[in-house]
Amino acid sequence: MITFKMIEAAGKYHDDNAIPDVVNYITRKDKATHRYIFGAKVDPVDIAGSMRAVSKSYGKDSQIRLHHFVISFPEKQSNIEVLVAFAKEVCAYLGTVYQVVAAIHEDRQPGLHIHF
């Protein structure tokens, strides 16, 4: 079964480190082993910096700074080519309105999961 999980808790993602902390976590080399990392409306060289700059320019640099969610796939549905296409499609869709970054994590069995 494919699962969707919103990562949230009271007060989580409200501080100045929220964006770089999450971006650094989801793009970690030990998590995204083969570097399947995608985005929309972000600078690929400085993802967190570009997200913080846009937040600040729109006056959205207080309260909740980002949304973090994970889509997990069972092992039998973990075809990497399909997941790459899926992650790119979600980024393209969300990117029409939001900045988004996605990374396919390969560090957990069974199955792969994508952080957005």
Side-chain angles (χ1 to χ4, degrees):
M1 176 171 51
I2 297 171
T3 59
F4 175 89
K5 181 179 180 183
M6 190 73 159
I7 311 294
E8 57 187 348
K12 192 168 188 154
Y13 306 138
H14 285 74
D15 63 68
D16 290 339
N17 295 320
I19 293 172
D21 286 351
V22 172
V23 169
N24 288 337
Y25 173 74
I26 73 170
T27 61
R28 279 177 34 186
K29 289 181 181 179
D30 63 321
K31 301 283 186 185
T33 313
H34 288 94
R35 310 306 291 155
Y36 297 117
I37 300 169
F38 316 98
K41 296 187 179 176
V42 295
D43 178 352
V45 176
D46 186 10
I47 297 167
S50 65
M51 293 176 105
R52 290 171 92 178
V54 169
S55 294
K56 185 173 184 170
S57 71
Y58 282 94
K60 302 289 185 178
D61 55 348
S62 64
Q63 302 297 321
I64 194 161
R65 309 301 170 93
L66 60 91
H67 296 283
H68 179 189
F69 58 93
V70 180
I71 300 175
S72 299
F73 301 85
E75 189 171 14
K76 65 182 178 180
Q77 294 176 342
S78 291
N79 178 307
I80 195 67
E81 292 84 17
V82 171
L83 296 187
V84 166
F86 177 79
K88 287 180 177 180
E89 188 71 25
V90 171
C91 284
Y93 177 78
L94 293 174
T96 62
V97 179
Y98 304 103
Q99 289 181 293
V100 62
V101 63
I104 299 174
H105 283 197
E106 305 168 78
D107 64 321
R108 190 175 66 199
Q109 293 299 325
L112 303 173
H113 55 286
I114 307 171
H115 285 257
F116 294 88

